[in-house]
Amino acid sequence: MNRFQLNYANYSIVVNSVFNLSSRKNRKGGVGLAPQRHRASQLSAIGLGKSFGNFEALRSLDLTIAAGEFLTLLGPSGSGKTTFLMALAGFLKPSRGRLEEDGVDITDRPADKRNFGMVFQGYALFPHLSVTDNVAFPLKVRKVPAAEIKKRVGDMIERVGLSAHAHKRPAQLSGGQQQRVALARALVFEPGVLLLDEPFSALDKNLREGLQAEMKRVHRETGTTFVFVTHDQSEALALSDRIAIFNHGQLMQAAEPRAIYTRPDNRFVAEFLGRINLLPLEGCSAIDGRATGRLGEATLSAPTGAAALAGRQSLLAVRPEHLRIGAAGADDNSVAGVIADKIFNGAEMSLQVALATGQRLLLSVPDNSAAAALAVGAETKVCWPVESGFILHDDRNA
Amino acid sequence: MTRSWMRYAILLAPLPLFLVASYVLPFFVVAKWSVTDPEPGLGQYIRIFTDPTVQVVLIRTLRICVIVTLVSVTLAYAIAYNWVFGPPKRQRLIEYCVLIPFWISVLIRAFGWLILLRNNGIINESLMSVGVIKEPLALVRNELGSIIGMTHFLIPFAVFPLASALRQVDPRVPQAASGLGAGRMRIFWTVTLPMTMPGVLGASIIVFVFALGFFITPAILSGGRSVMVAEFIYLQLFQTVNWGLAAAISVVLLVIVAALGALLHKVARLDKLVG
Ligand SMILES: Nc1ncnc2c1ncn2[C@@H]1O[C@H](COP(=O)(O)OP(=O)(O)O)[C@@H](O)[C@H]1O
Ligand SMILES: [Mg+2]
């Protein structure tokens, strides 16, 4: 029982475990229940690196992926996401470091012995096999009895809603349907880890949103560890338990979506995820967890960690949605500026306010508000609660 | 621009005329012989399917062509696989080994094999001197000699379509199979080979059609002891002077080749669909 709960880490609700236990027993007898929870693995990369010749595609990377977690790898194109995923899958031999699954070293274990499910960019379905045979492939490899294969494949295809297309070849399916086949094929053998490389990148927006919800549901139902690659930040924010941000082969930060959005560790993460205003502070000093410095005429503050300031250029960071036009309240920062640009985008109006010091502040206001009616060139004041900002260090030239 | 186009058109105009004069007209003449020589009727065609001498030649030809096709396509698949997926050094080596024979005439290659395979040839002599065999092996002046020479000649013709089929395989597909738990052998038999099956069929048809019409290589390497259909036609024309039979067999061959050509066309299109 103890081991069972370990395996299900995040899902160690006793009821669940009991349910699984019985469903497993049933399956042995050949009559499985439909919703199945899988064994979920914990993965650890320890100092993992990969070089192609002199080029470091992945720098020493330390990251532990909890059992049952939905982790998203997010980063610009070429940042090493696929390289990391391929190293996890066993298709790429790391140049440095180790990989562990539940504490066992698997660095040298070949891909076909890792028992991870994978959905490739472009799906990589078997073009010469029907949907059924594609999904049955991993079970046939594992020498599962034919009757059980038939049942499990049928269940899986039904779960992804493709029963009507079971006999078709991949070329006869739409992109979204192919994507579902790839998912079914990767999940049917109940892998401890599911690796997905930009599974939605080839699909149009509406389809993506539907499939995202489905992906989330599948994750909930199976309890498998998901490692999901995307370069779409809203997708990452919507789906993940945790997001790992990559840049130039380096892990910049790994944290929960809200934490990574509201308290990014560094400038790259702050600018990559959503839009942000960055204001350089002069003569910055920290008292009582609050950093205060000057920007031209204005004195601005933001919460900060203790030893954070030491001798580096500090930037006050604040998201556009926290700014407003108008008079400052009790615990607000306030700067004066001139409306430089207005962009109408549906429900809201994006304003750019030029400051005397040369920066431009970006903010969004409701389209029917008084602020939205301000003309370009009008003088105005922009303010925001001190608590909504935070301090970053300029790591551009670090 | 227009004028130079005109010039090319004028230069090219004789080509269709040339084709008609050299292929189409002779074909009709041959077709006519097959039903008129020595007397009008389908007698020569009936002979093809009843005369034991013709039957022996046809069955032998079929047997040799099937064996040559199977052996050369199998070997060519191994070569093409290493050419496409092997390490760069091996790829270069294969390029040379496949391309160089193209520059050497059929005649020279056949004589080369004769030198290697005959009773006092290099292979038999070295085997005997090492003491593996006492009597020389009958490697040439028989069907085996023809098969060896034809296979060697035809392998490159199979390597090219197979390599192109293998190049069309998205490397992520066999990779996916490996991720799903399949070992190398299993990936080959259940993924790579089926995905390249149109290429295998295409290569087989090409090799078979070439083998069907082989003349010089079997003539030299079998030493007239296992006559194939092309040599048989030659003998009917120039030694037995039985033009009607020669013409009838030619027509039958042509029909078979045309049917295989049509099949190849279909397979090639299928290849595009799958790729
Ligand atoms: N096989 C390879 N050989 C050389 N360079 C490679 C290879 N695979 C990836 N790279 C390089 O490594 C970097 C990271 O690639 P990748 O992991 O595919 O990025 P991402 O998936 O984040 O877009 C890129 O600059 C890419 O050009
Ligand atoms: Mg990628």
Side-chain angles (χ1 to χ4, degrees):
Chain A
M1 200 60 210
N2 222 343
R3 262 191 60 193
F4 229 90
Q5 290 191 344
L6 255 182
N7 281 342
Y8 288 111
N10 291 357
Y11 300 87
S12 52
I13 311 159
V14 179
V15 182
N16 250 334
S17 301
V18 169
F19 169 73
N20 273 294
L21 210 55
S22 61
S23 98
R24 280 198 173 233
K25 260 187 198 152
N26 278 343
R27 204 174 317 125
K28 252 184 201 157
V31 270
L33 288 176
Q36 294 139 5
R37 302 182 67 78
H38 304 181
R39 188 186 66 88
S41 307
Q42 183 207 59
L43 286 180
S44 297
I46 301 147
L48 197 76
K50 176 72 192 175
S51 302
F52 296 108
N54 288 331
F55 176 72
E56 263 191 293
L58 214 56
R59 319 229 174 149
S60 304
L61 186 138
D62 290 289
L63 182 64
T64 292
I65 306 163
E69 181 176 30
F70 195 127
L71 177 83
T72 296
L73 311 179
L74 177 68
S77 175
S79 57
K81 309 179 295 288
T82 298
T83 304
F84 181 51
L85 208 70
M86 290 293 164
L88 288 181
F91 298 132
L92 267 184
K93 203 178 139 47
S95 316
R96 296 169 293 283
R98 287 185 299 128
L99 264 179
E100 288 183 358
E101 180 187 15
D102 297 328
V104 180
D105 192 311
I106 57 161
T107 319
D108 295 321
R109 193 185 288 175
D112 55 308
K113 298 284 184 301
R114 288 201 184 182
N115 211 35
F116 294 172
M118 171 125 192
V119 176
F120 283 78
Q121 214 164 354
Y123 317 133
L125 297 175
F126 303 126
H128 58 294
L129 298 180
S130 67
V131 170
T132 304
D133 290 336
N134 262 281
V135 178
F137 187 90
L139 298 179
K140 282 187 183 152
V141 171
R142 285 167 179 76
K143 306 214 160 44
V144 174
E148 197 186 331
I149 291 184
K150 193 157 183 273
K151 173 154 189 6
R152 280 168 72 179
V153 169
D155 285 352
M156 198 68 214
I157 291 178
E158 197 181 320
R159 238 164 104 180
V160 296
L162 288 175
S163 301
H165 307 282
H167 299 290
K168 289 187 183 167
R169 297 268 178 101
Q172 297 165 284
L173 300 176
S174 72
Q177 290 168 334
Q178 291 184 21
Q179 204 273 331
R180 288 195 174 94
V181 179
L183 189 64
R185 188 180 68 173
L187 280 171
V188 72
F189 60 102
E190 308 189 352
V193 177
L194 182 64
L195 308 171
L196 305 111
D197 195 357
E198 310 217 12
F200 305 137
S201 63
L203 307 175
D204 62 54
K205 194 163 172 293
N206 290 336
L207 206 53
R208 284 172 88 111
E209 280 167 9
L211 283 167
Q212 282 170 17
E214 199 166 312
M215 189 70 70
K216 195 83 184 148
R217 177 176 62 81
V218 169
H219 175 247
R220 224 172 17 242
E221 281 177 13
T222 60
T224 301
T225 310
F226 274 45
V227 184
F228 178 93
V229 170
T230 183
H231 61 255
D232 179 332
Q233 32 166 304
S234 62
E235 197 165 278
L237 290 169
L239 288 174
S240 326
D241 293 327
R242 210 153 56 108
I243 300 176
I245 298 211
F246 281 69
N247 189 33
H248 294 312
Q250 217 164 354
L251 177 63
M252 303 303 290
Q253 186 177 2
E256 286 160 25
R258 177 161 283 114
I260 214 162
Y261 184 77
T262 55
R263 289 290 178 270
D265 273 355
N266 48 59
R267 182 170 179 165
F268 176 80
V269 173
E271 288 187 313
F272 186 72
L273 214 58
R275 294 181 305 171
I276 198 153
N277 295 298
L278 296 172
L279 301 169
L281 293 185
E282 301 291 332
C284 202
S285 63
I287 311 156
D288 288 345
R290 213 170 241 211
T292 305
R294 275 178 297 101
L295 175 71
E297 307 280 278
T299 301
L300 304 175
S301 303
T304 183
L309 294 177
R312 296 151 83 187
Q313 169 71 67
S314 297
L315 296 167
L316 192 159
V318 61
R319 299 273 179 201
E321 61 268 26
H322 295 301
L323 302 188
R324 35 169 234 283
I325 298 282
D331 203 16
D332 278 358
N333 287 313
S334 173
V335 287
V338 173
I339 306 272
D341 203 0
K342 293 167 67 174
I343 297 161
F344 172 69
N345 50 14
E348 56 180 30
M349 182 76 94
S350 288
L351 298 182
Q352 278 190 28
V353 177
L355 306 183
T357 45
Q359 288 82 20
R360 282 193 170 200
L361 282 179
L362 201 66
L363 67 155
S364 41
V365 295
D367 183 48
N368 55 5
S369 65
L374 286 171
V376 172
E379 293 198 358
T380 184
K381 288 212 155 193
V382 179
C383 58
W384 66 94
V386 168
E387 288 303 317
S388 65
F390 52 94
I391 298 292
L392 285 176
H393 299 293
D394 199 346
D395 49 16
R396 277 261 172 94
N397 31 14
Chain B
M1 198 60 192
T2 329
R3 274 194 53 202
S4 72
W5 185 87
M6 286 285 284
R7 259 212 314 265
Y8 282 118
I10 290 165
L11 281 175
L12 284 174
L15 190 62
L17 291 177
F18 176 76
L19 286 176
V20 168
S22 60
Y23 285 96
V24 181
L25 287 182
F27 170 72
F28 280 114
V29 175
V30 167
K32 197 182 138 227
W33 288 346
S34 75
V35 287
T36 53
D37 184 283
E39 71 234 335
L42 294 175
Q44 299 292 14
Y45 288 96
I46 292 164
R47 258 188 87 186
I48 294 177
F49 295 100
T50 50
D51 187 320
T53 328
V54 184
Q55 293 281 294
V56 167
V57 170
L58 288 184
I59 289 172
R60 180 191 295 133
T61 305
L62 193 68
R63 182 172 59 233
I64 292 177
C65 288
V66 168
I67 294 172
V68 166
T69 304
L70 289 179
V71 175
S72 48
V73 171
T74 307
L75 293 176
Y77 199 103
I79 293 171
Y81 191 92
N82 280 284
W83 191 15
V84 174
F85 299 118
K89 258 194 181 158
R90 195 183 302 167
Q91 294 180 342
R92 290 297 89 71
L93 183 71
I94 289 171
E95 257 154 51
Y96 290 125
C97 292
V98 171
L99 283 174
I100 287 175
F102 262 122
W103 304 99
I104 304 172
S105 107
V106 197
L107 210 57
I108 292 176
R109 286 161 69 175
F111 281 120
W113 278 112
L114 202 57
I115 291 166
L116 279 175
L117 299 175
R118 66 190 165 161
N119 281 359
N120 51 353
I122 296 168
I123 292 179
N124 273 322
E125 296 234 306
S126 38
L127 283 179
M128 282 196 290
S129 70
V130 176
V132 183
I133 48 167
K134 292 213 171 62
E135 297 285 297
L137 300 172
L139 299 174
V140 79
R141 291 190 196 292
N142 55 18
E143 224 172 281
L144 181 62
S146 297
I147 290 173
I148 293 175
M150 288 166 69
T151 302
H152 176 247
F153 186 88
L154 290 170
I155 282 175
F157 292 93
V159 167
F160 286 105
L162 288 171
S164 115
L166 282 164
R167 262 184 212 121
Q168 280 177 33
V169 173
D170 178 348
R172 283 177 301 190
V173 176
Q175 202 170 50
S178 146
L180 294 168
R184 289 179 62 166
M185 277 296 135
R186 188 170 194 113
I187 293 174
F188 177 77
W189 289 109
T190 60
V191 179
T192 316
L193 184 61
M195 279 177 77
T196 50
M197 219 50 209
V200 172
L201 278 177
S204 303
I205 293 171
I206 290 171
V207 169
F208 190 86
V209 166
F210 271 118
L212 215 50
F214 250 61
F215 179 66
I216 292 176
T217 307
I220 292 173
L221 290 173
S222 83
R225 267 169 238 197
S226 84
V227 172
M228 286 179 70
V229 70
E231 193 181 353
F232 186 75
I233 293 173
Y234 173 84
L235 293 175
Q236 298 310 308
L237 278 175
F238 297 106
Q239 286 181 11
T240 4
V241 198
N242 191 346
W243 288 21
L245 182 60
I249 298 176
S250 302
V251 170
V252 169
L253 269 189
L254 199 76
V255 168
I256 293 173
V257 168
L260 287 172
L263 188 62
L264 179 66
H265 188 66
K266 259 191 132 158
V267 169
R269 283 221 316 262
L270 193 71
D271 200 3
K272 268 191 199 115
L273 274 183
V274 171

